[in-house]
Amino acid sequence: MARVALLDDYQGVALSMADWKSLAPSSEVVVFKDHLADEDSVAKRLADFDIVMALRERTPFPRTLLERLPKLKLLITAGMRNASIDMKAAAERGVVVCGTAGLPYPTAELAWGLILSLMRRIPAEDRATREGRWQTSLGLGLNGKTLGVLGLGTLGSRAAKVGLAFEMDVLAWSQNLTTERAKEIGATLVPKDELLASSDIVSIHLVLGERTRGLIGARELGLMKRSAYLINTSRGPIVDEAALIRALGDGTIAGAGLDVFDEEPLPLHHPFRRLPNIVITPHLGYVTSETYRIFYGHAVEDITAYLDGKPVRVLKP
């Protein structure tokens, strides 16, 4: 009998998003709706499972954890990339790692939800209206302002095109971006410091790696306009969190829209929960019904194929 663990199903929807009954009758699927951050607790929870599905990078699988899961044979990650899995250690232990497809647009859409929420003060005005107050702030328009996009790949290019639809000027930068690629999207390639200094909104769409970890620190935040906003729907560690907290507190920048954090779920007493000039969401970029149907549907396919001896969507170190 194959025992399958589905991790971090916060909304309790995993079983309704795919045909889990199509698995072999002897298979048992167990859903965990809570998140465990302590490795000892995770190891104890998963000790008797042959197959585990990790929802994106919520639960890391470093070598130390994999070594404590002797029964684990198949590890599935939602998406085709997961930096929190030690792929080399998994391969050495004979653990097959498979992925799923995803969708290119939900995270870019959420970035614009954060931008509009900040510029038009939507969360604050929603609260004020519910409390009986009326028109408590002045919003800001987007037309004619400058959008700076860090990373003009699949997500960044979508975000840039929305900026163009709002009749914004769009600047772009990444380590490997070319002038020709930027022009294809309708953006202008500029040096990173120029983008930071010139933009009214800076939106991050970079992959977390050695070159991007801590890319936006105190120096970079200091280059931005005091009236500018920073949007991060990529990965928390791309921005120096302590430096951002200081910049938001002392008015170095006007505000931020954040969907990602150094530690997730965000700790209860984290300063981000108290700052008035930010809009925060709990890593919702990919969290849509359409995405989840792909994640869990492909997970069922991954499990079926593995049990048939013909694994699919296998990820290599």
Side-chain angles (χ1 to χ4, degrees):
M1 180 181 76
R3 298 196 73 220
V4 182
L6 306 181
L7 302 183
D8 297 310
D9 179 22
Y10 298 131
Q11 298 87 4
V13 298
L15 294 181
S16 67
M17 291 288 164
D19 184 13
W20 295 97
K21 293 181 180 179
S22 67
L23 297 177
S26 59
S27 298
E28 178 188 5
V29 180
V30 180
V31 178
F32 295 101
K33 299 179 182 179
D34 61 324
H35 175 76
L36 296 179
D38 176 67
E39 186 174 301
D40 289 340
S41 299
V42 176
K44 182 178 180 180
R45 170 172 284 183
L46 299 181
D48 292 325
F49 287 94
D50 313 281
I51 300 170
V52 174
M53 180 182 181
L55 192 59
R56 300 301 295 127
E57 297 168 358
R58 286 286 184 269
T59 300
F61 283 83
R63 179 181 295 273
T64 51
L65 176 59
L66 292 168
E67 289 174 346
R68 300 170 69 178
L69 301 176
K71 293 186 178 181
L72 182 63
K73 298 295 184 288
L74 174 63
L75 178 57
I76 300 169
T77 174
M80 290 300 289
R81 180 193 297 120
N82 191 324
S84 69
I85 295 175
D86 188 329
M87 298 294 295
K88 183 178 179 181
E92 290 174 359
R93 299 191 61 78
V95 177
V96 177
V97 182
C98 295
T100 75
L103 291 172
Y105 58 81
T107 300
E109 292 178 348
L110 182 72
W112 276 100
L114 293 172
I115 292 169
L116 290 168
S117 293
L118 284 163
M119 299 295 280
R120 298 307 299 270
R121 315 288 194 257
I122 293 173
E125 290 295 346
D126 174 80
R127 288 192 300 270
T129 304
R130 293 172 186 272
E131 293 166 359
R133 291 173 288 144
W134 195 254
Q135 294 189 1
T136 64
S137 64
L138 288 175
L140 295 167
L142 294 167
N143 188 291
K145 290 190 170 58
T146 299
L147 170 69
V149 180
L150 295 176
L152 204 62
T154 301
L155 299 180
S157 61
R158 286 179 176 270
K161 290 176 181 178
V162 176
L164 293 170
F166 277 113
E167 299 183 17
M168 301 180 73
D169 294 322
V170 179
L171 306 179
W173 174 88
S174 70
Q175 286 96 337
N176 300 318
L177 182 62
T178 64
T179 300
E180 292 72 24
R181 170 59 180 166
K183 285 183 177 179
E184 287 178 10
I185 303 301
T188 301
L189 173 63
V190 296
K192 181 181 66 174
D193 285 2
E194 181 179 338
L195 182 149
L196 294 169
S198 302
S199 298
D200 298 294
I201 299 165
V202 175
S203 190
I204 299 171
H205 301 279
L206 296 163
V207 174
L208 177 62
E210 290 305 312
R211 293 195 299 174
T212 59
R213 186 178 297 273
L215 183 74
I216 304 299
R219 188 192 76 84
E220 289 75 20
L221 292 166
L223 294 173
M224 294 174 63
K225 300 176 183 179
R226 293 182 70 85
S227 58
Y229 294 86
L230 180 70
I231 309 297
N232 190 5
T233 55
S234 182
R235 289 294 183 271
I238 293 174
V239 179
D240 182 327
E241 198 167 269
L244 179 57
I245 291 169
R246 290 193 298 271
L248 291 166
D250 65 18
T252 297
I253 62 174
L258 306 174
D259 186 48
V260 290
F261 310 92
D262 284 1
E263 182 180 349
E264 298 178 4
L266 190 66
L268 184 61
H269 300 293
H270 196 284
F272 282 152
R273 293 182 182 269
R274 300 190 299 273
L275 287 167
N277 53 343
I278 63 173
V279 175
I280 55 174
T281 49
H283 206 148
L284 294 179
Y286 62 88
V287 183
T288 66
S289 178
E290 296 87 352
T291 302
Y292 272 35
R293 291 191 186 282
I294 294 173
F295 282 175
Y296 291 116
H298 282 188
V300 171
E301 293 177 6
D302 288 348
I303 295 168
T304 300
Y306 174 80
L307 294 177
D308 287 343
K310 301 175 182 178
V312 296
R313 289 185 283 268
V314 177
L315 305 181
K316 299 294 185 181

